[in-house]
Amino acid sequence: MLFRSPNLPMANTVDAKAIGLTSLAALSGGGAGSWGAGAGAALLAVTMNGSKGGGSDGGGGGSPVPAKISGKIFAGPVVSNGKGDLTVKAYDSTGKEIGFLAQANNDGSYSLNIDKTYKGVVLLKAFDIDTSNKNNPEHLDESTQANKTLPTLTASFYFDGLDAIVNITSLTMAAAIKAGFKADGTPDTQSPPSQTSVESANALMAKAFGLKDPLLSQEVIPTVDATGKTNPNANAYGVALDLLSHL
């Protein structure tokens, strides 16, 4: 499917699948032609098998002075918060819950607080807190054009005690896995995520898909709107997410 995207270094349109295969190939060192139906599994293998940087993430205690972490969730356009089911939680590099649970809004935006005295790796996890409820879809699946329950998505970053914008997408999840977190958001206990590993993984994913760095805070404009109508103003990030929805 072709999408007009004036922000991409191409003529007037962009082929989401073609640009994505090229990007995925760049991650593994292979050619675009080697990516087919198994591209999703290959991407996961790349993210899980890539090397992680060293370093520690520290920690701290003291009076709970909160910093604001905010952003939006994207897996295709978010169409509702599932009547309150769409939730974001924050964890440290050991898997301990930190900050306050946040209920996302109907447009996928969220905001939560983390104690400013904490310094270290943070894993944000967006998920449906009540998966038994299938009658309140939360996002438009670009590959099927159907409204579905949001899959678990994550994003990892180094928290320095300051307010931050962190969007949570399938691409930030791939980066979090590469950094040392599992698909469910739990850390690799043998090699816990560090400041170096999360920052390197986020930068790698941005570069592989031709996106700006930092990956986490840049604007996401999906290829379709909440009704499924093609968005002619989609940007490179939106095209990347469209590709991943088809894998």
Side-chain angles (χ1 to χ4, degrees), residues 20-190:
L21 294 180
T22 300
S23 300
L24 291 173
L27 283 174
S28 65
S34 64
W35 294 83
L43 172 61
L44 187 59
V46 168
T47 59
M48 293 185 70
N49 294 330
S51 61
K52 300 193 292 292
S56 62
D57 50 80
S63 302
V65 180
K68 180 181 178 181
I69 309 301
S70 60
K72 294 189 75 173
I73 303 162
F74 291 93
V78 169
V79 298
S80 82
N81 69 357
K83 292 188 176 179
D85 289 350
L86 187 53
T87 303
V88 179
K89 285 186 178 182
Y91 304 85
D92 66 14
S93 62
T94 68
K96 178 183 177 181
E97 189 173 337
I98 57 177
F100 299 89
L101 178 149
Q103 181 185 98
N105 299 311
N106 284 324
D107 64 352
S109 61
Y110 76 92
S111 177
L112 58 78
N113 292 330
I114 296 178
D115 185 346
K116 286 185 177 181
T117 60
Y118 172 77
K119 303 293 190 298
V121 169
V122 172
L123 185 284
L124 296 179
K125 179 178 178 180
F127 62 102
D128 187 311
I129 201 168
D130 182 10
T131 55
S132 65
N133 183 357
K134 302 297 184 182
N135 297 320
N136 297 313
E138 295 145 342
H139 80 109
L140 176 68
D141 184 342
E142 291 164 309
S143 66
T144 63
Q145 295 291 297
N147 290 335
K148 296 183 178 180
T149 297
L150 187 89
T152 295
L153 296 174
T154 60
S156 61
F157 67 104
Y158 182 80
F159 177 66
D160 56 7
L162 302 176
D163 294 353
I165 296 174
V166 181
N167 292 321
I168 306 172
T169 72
S170 51
L171 199 54
T172 63
M173 181 172 182
I177 293 173
K178 183 168 183 60
F181 288 97
K182 299 177 183 179
D184 64 358
T186 57
D188 179 352
T189 57
Q190 298 301 314

Side-chain angles (χ1 to χ4, degrees), residues 197-241:
S197 71
V198 298
E199 291 179 349
S200 296
N202 285 329
L204 173 64
M205 290 300 163
K207 182 178 180 180
F209 283 88
L211 306 178
K212 297 178 182 179
D213 189 25
L215 172 69
L216 300 174
S217 60
Q218 65 182 280
E219 184 179 21
V220 182
I221 306 178
T223 58
V224 295
D225 62 21
T227 67
K229 183 180 179 180
T230 298
N231 181 3
N233 298 313
N235 64 2
Y237 204 142
V239 170
L241 298 185

